[in-house]
Amino acid sequence: MSPKLSACWVALGPLLCSCALALQGGMLFPRESPSREVKALDGLWRFRADFSENRLQGFEQQWYRQPLRESGPTLDMPVPSSFNDITQEARLRNFIGWVWYEREAILPQRWTQDSDMRVVLRINSAHYYAVVWVNGIHVVEHEGGHLPFEADISKLVQSGPLTTCRVTIAINNTLTPHTLPPGSIIYKADTSMYPKGYFVQDTNFDFFNYAGLHRAVVLYTTPTTYIDDITVTTNVEQNIGLVNYWISVKGNEHFQLEVRLLDEDGQVVAQETGDQGQLQVPGANLWWPYLMHDHPAYLYSLEVRMMTAGPVSDFYTLPVGIRTVAVTESKFLINGKPFYFHGVNKHEDSDIRGKGFDWPLLMKDFNLLYWLGANSFRTSHYPYSEEVLQLCDRYGIVVIDECPGVGIVLPQSLGNESLRHHLEVMEELVRRDKNHPAVVMWSVANEPSSALKPAGYYFKTLITHTKTLDPTRPVTFVTNTKYDADLGAPYVDVICVNSYFSWYHDYGHLEVIQPQLKSQFENWYKTHKKPVIQSEYGAEAIAGFHEDPPLMFSEEYQKALLENYHSVFDQKRKEYVVGELIWNFADFMTNQTPTRVIGNKKGIFTRQRHPKNVAFILRERYWRIANETRHHHSVPRTQCLGTRPFTF
Ligand code: GCB
């Protein structure tokens, strides 16, 4: 283990150092193919939280060297899941520090014997800092809880007679002023008030800092010469769909590449050879958002085949949607047509699982989005799982892809160390999500303290760098500051603004909403001349609370507040307002505070996905807007998910 790591932890300070390597090669989603196998390590893992005073017992006693049960008692912990809400132990729910996960994987014999095979361990999300060992040997570390990382473990598993391997992952959920999101550890040293050694984690964001192995852990194989990365950009010129591709191959310099593009019927519509080129598709079926076209979300398959002089070949198939995205002074265009975001903000959050990935939950959410007539969402406030984006590609749900830059309010969080990490995270995010047609914009932060002095340099660098990482997509950052004090606004392509009129101020005074909202839009537009999205608005309602005349926290108040916003949206969407995203899709867990009643209740659905009254208001509205923008005929409301083939 890195000595830096332990030294820093004692101080509970910036333990999260640059020991984790950010970018090495591509990060293609592990898919089975004739040359690749995938083995999921989901299920029960052995688990222990290190409750020792300095939280370092696990490293001091080297728990990774032997099976975890030999160093003390273990719990059974499901993966994927947050660990917080699984047991009945309050101290585990609120635990800060290192937790240890371990499981054994049985490897097919050929994986351990075939030296032409690469075996890779991939962790799709470990929040927040992770150290990984295989059979007691350190293989990788990673900082950041929402993006995948991996280690080539071929040498380890192919070096002996073993056909099992023991994977140990230590995860630390501590946030510091330089992590993303940031946080700080506050010591309470007054022993007349607090127990000895007492500390808490302080954060400035409004969701519970769930931790653990939130997404799948998989082992997968590739040949030793392999397709490492594919980048696709698309364009349309005179009815010809253009698919530009770049492929990187690792392991050997001598190889050949064949690339074929297949339509949804499996017919080859274009082919090429070589590691970069352009495929041309006359009369291409474009990728359209849900409700904007009779056949939304058309996906081609890009089949890449790599051959070497020897027997080795590698195959990888990538879904590709052909579409364009552009921004004018007052419009957001998809395939040259004005696109209006009528959608939601979400969280990865549910009962028991916390932020753990769950297929039934995911499918329920997509069914609800279709039911609602929502055509978009923002991944507030961190990157969601890759499976979510794959479903967005498949169902035509447009995504504003946000990085975990939330709660940036301390001046220390705007210095060089933070900026360096923030840039790395954007690189990891773009590398992971660049090929999703559903992703139409990057969001580099949510409500940072952009009026603080160092913020000007910070956000200029962050936004301009993101544009160089991906020149094909607009960039935004989400603000709630004043239109003339916002130091990021000059550099973004679209202004995303959050506001909570008659909620966080002018409590109970619904009559202030319309004038305040109008001035908000007019001021932002006048100052920056860029399209504006209302990226958050909403009110809390505890399902089943009713009051008329409406009072705060009742379903009636939530409804009346929304209706006031909507009447201004309806005026301004004729001009330069290009979207409205309700806060929030569903109720979600937060830290305990006197302003939160077991979590944030601004959902239009409860945490269990039951509709509040306002869900029906929004449904009427979204379908009405969808039908208006389609001009020709109305869209049938019964939509059925999952009728077309889908490759994972
Ligand atoms: C915001 C934040 C979001 C909060 C929301 C609220 O502005 O972006 O994370 O949950 O307000 O409900 O306070």
Side-chain angles (χ1 to χ4, degrees):
M1 164 208 180
S2 138
K4 236 176 174 177
L5 213 60
S6 57
C8 296
W9 175 253
V10 177
L12 280 172
L15 83 156
L16 311 163
C17 43
S18 49
C19 3
L21 293 169
L23 289 184
Q24 289 183 317
M27 200 38 81
L28 290 175
F29 185 76
R31 283 199 171 88
E32 289 181 332
S33 81
S35 58
R36 293 170 174 237
E37 293 172 65
V38 179
K39 189 175 170 59
L41 300 184
D42 293 356
L44 290 185
W45 288 52
R46 281 180 285 275
F47 174 91
R48 183 185 306 136
D50 185 344
F51 284 104
S52 64
E53 208 176 312
N54 66 0
R55 301 290 198 259
L56 279 176
Q57 198 175 57
F59 288 97
E60 287 159 2
Q61 298 181 351
Q62 304 186 328
W63 288 352
Y64 48 89
R65 288 195 152 236
Q66 276 86 36
L68 199 54
R69 62 177 181 279
E70 291 180 17
S71 51
T74 57
L75 303 176
D76 287 337
M77 189 55 73
V79 172
S81 180
S82 302
F83 61 75
N84 308 75
D85 289 348
I86 297 295
T87 76
Q88 294 307 101
E89 279 205 59
R91 66 177 193 149
L92 183 56
R93 182 176 190 277
N94 302 315
F95 182 77
I96 303 163
W98 291 100
V99 297
W100 292 72
Y101 283 81
E102 179 205 77
R103 77 159 268 179
E104 246 149 49
I106 297 174
L107 305 175
Q109 212 169 36
R110 61 184 182 288
W111 289 27
T112 60
Q113 290 177 353
D114 182 351
S115 58
D116 284 334
M117 199 176 248
R118 248 175 101 239
V119 181
V120 183
L121 171 66
R122 175 175 163 124
I123 292 142
N124 283 347
S125 158
H127 187 71
Y128 175 83
Y129 192 94
V131 188
V132 184
W133 297 263
V134 170
N135 295 336
I137 305 204
H138 175 272
V139 293
V140 69
E141 294 185 18
H142 185 258
E143 174 174 357
H146 310 93
L147 290 164
F149 58 101
E150 52 184 42
D152 181 338
I153 60 165
S154 324
K155 285 213 177 70
L156 272 171
V157 298
Q158 288 166 355
S159 63
L162 284 179
T163 48
T164 62
C165 69
R166 184 165 44 84
V167 180
T168 313
I169 308 179
I171 302 178
N172 195 322
N173 59 356
T174 306
L175 302 176
T176 76
H178 307 299
T179 58
L180 270 194
S184 7
I185 297 290
I186 312 284
Y187 289 96
K188 309 273 187 177
D190 181 349
T191 50
S192 70
M193 293 183 70
Y194 299 100
K196 193 171 155 276
Y198 191 84
F199 62 86
V200 289
Q201 171 87 73
D202 191 28
T203 56
N204 283 294
F205 52 83
D206 184 36
F207 52 90
F208 189 70
N209 190 33
Y210 279 113
L213 288 171
H214 284 156
R215 299 178 192 149
V217 178
V218 301
L219 287 168
Y220 71 92
T221 65
T222 73
T224 42
T225 302
Y226 61 100
I227 300 160
D228 171 59
D229 200 11
I230 304 172
T231 306
V232 163
T233 65
T234 64
N235 210 340
V236 183
E237 275 171 22
Q238 285 152 8
N239 211 25
I240 302 177
L242 305 176
V243 177
N244 307 303
Y245 70 86
W246 294 261
I247 299 165
S248 97
V249 170
K250 283 202 171 155
N252 194 330
E253 282 170 11
H254 306 289
F255 56 84
Q256 287 181 333
L257 279 165
E258 283 176 8
V259 179
R260 307 195 307 166
L261 193 71
L262 279 67
D263 66 15
E264 284 190 351
D265 300 322
Q267 300 299 317
V268 178
V269 294
Q271 48 192 324
E272 263 299 336
T273 55
D275 61 359
Q276 52 177 292
Q278 185 178 71
L279 298 157
Q280 303 200 349
V281 191
N285 292 303
L286 301 189
W287 187 94
W288 287 97
Y290 172 51
L291 298 175
M292 211 172 163
H293 194 267
D294 288 334
H295 190 154
Y298 194 96
L299 290 177
Y300 291 89
S301 297
L302 186 81
E303 280 186 4
V304 179
R305 183 169 167 204
M306 186 279 312
M307 288 141 309
T308 58
V312 180
S313 44
D314 191 16
F315 304 87
Y316 193 90
T317 301
L318 183 78
V320 167
I322 302 177
R323 58 109 185 88
T324 63
V325 174
V327 172
T328 70
E329 208 177 88
S330 61
K331 299 265 175 296
F332 196 98
L333 304 172
I334 296 185
N335 299 331
K337 295 237 167 93
F339 176 75
Y340 187 74
F341 295 79
H342 42 93
V344 303
N345 290 276
K346 290 184 95 258
H347 261 300
E348 290 188 320
D349 178 88
S350 71
D351 284 336
I352 304 168
R353 300 152 188 78
K355 292 204 174 303
F357 177 85
D358 182 58
W359 275 115
L361 178 78
L362 208 63
M363 287 315 298
K364 184 71 187 171
D365 282 4
F366 275 90
N367 275 285
L368 289 175
L369 290 172
Y370 257 46
W371 174 89
L372 194 65
N375 64 3
S376 50
F377 65 79
R378 171 164 71 114
T379 67
S380 44
H381 293 306
Y382 37 80
Y384 293 176
S385 74
E386 285 163 274
E387 290 85 345
V388 169
L389 297 178
Q390 289 161 0
L391 290 183
C392 289
D393 290 345
R394 172 170 160 74
Y395 297 140
I397 302 293
V398 167
V399 176
I400 301 174
D401 203 352
E402 187 157 283
C403 87
V406 56
I408 304 177
V409 300
L410 304 170
Q412 309 96 283
S413 302
L414 290 164
N416 283 342
E417 188 175 344
S418 297
L419 179 58
R420 183 190 49 73
H421 178 58
H422 207 147
L423 293 172
E424 260 170 24
V425 171
M426 284 316 300
E427 285 180 21
E428 286 187 30
L429 176 62
V430 172
R431 172 179 65 170
R432 192 194 72 160
D433 293 349
K434 63 190 171 188
N435 293 325
H436 289 286
V439 174
V440 299
M441 183 152 65
W442 305 111
S443 164
V444 298
N446 178 71
E447 297 187 358
S449 246
S450 69
L452 285 178
K453 204 154 178 254
Y457 172 74
Y458 190 103
F459 290 110
K460 179 178 178 194
T461 313
L462 184 61
I463 295 161
T464 48
H465 183 69
T466 304
K467 287 189 185 180
T468 62
L469 291 173
D470 178 8
T472 71
R473 288 178 176 89
V475 177
T476 189
F477 100 150
V478 176
T479 184
N480 70 348
T481 37
K482 273 190 68 195
Y483 55 93
D484 51 356
D486 194 307
L487 300 173
Y491 312 108
V492 296
D493 301 295
V494 174
I495 306 274
C496 278
V497 51
N498 299 343
S499 48
Y500 288 91
F501 306 125
S502 128
W503 188 261
Y504 286 123
H505 49 85
D506 301 303
Y507 318 132
H509 289 282
L510 295 162
E511 64 278 16
V512 307
I513 294 175
Q514 296 200 26
Q516 292 186 2
L517 186 57
K518 255 192 226 155
S519 324
Q520 168 200 279
F521 284 142
E522 283 160 14
N523 287 330
W524 278 103
Y525 191 69
K526 199 168 57 205
T527 316
H528 298 286
K529 291 278 183 304
K530 291 176 182 177
V532 182
I533 295 177
Q534 182 74 38
S535 42
E536 283 181 31
Y537 72 105
E540 313 230 358
I542 299 175
F545 274 33
H546 294 288
E547 289 292 344
D548 187 51
L551 298 184
M552 288 176 85
F553 293 99
S554 68
E555 295 204 31
E556 287 72 17
Y557 193 89
Q558 190 183 33
K559 173 169 173 275
L561 182 139
L562 259 60
E563 284 168 345
N564 275 290
Y565 270 81
H566 294 164
S567 92
V568 180
F569 294 161
D570 283 340
Q571 296 161 37
K572 296 297 177 189
R573 72 188 164 92
K574 296 189 192 113
E575 302 173 37
Y576 47 79
V577 170
V578 297
E580 53 186 88
L581 304 175
I582 184 77
W583 190 262
N584 188 285
F585 174 73
D587 293 346
F588 59 91
M589 191 50 71
T590 62
N591 269 344
Q592 300 181 63
T593 81
T595 55
R596 295 285 179 258
V597 190
I598 313 191
N600 185 312
K601 294 283 191 274
K602 295 195 186 73
I604 59 165
F605 298 101
T606 64
R607 201 182 192 207
Q608 298 69 36
R609 278 45 178 181
H610 300 143
K612 299 181 193 170
N613 284 339
V614 82
F616 298 94
I617 301 289
L618 218 54
R619 183 175 192 233
E620 283 307 311
R621 174 171 178 78
Y622 284 180
W623 282 96
R624 182 161 50 73
I625 295 176
N627 285 324
E628 270 171 30
T629 48
R630 279 170 57 106
H631 308 298
H632 47 300
H633 67 267
S634 58
V635 192
R637 285 217 198 168
T638 339
Q639 297 283 343
C640 180
L641 292 181
T643 46
R644 281 186 286 136
F646 186 35
T647 337
F648 264 114

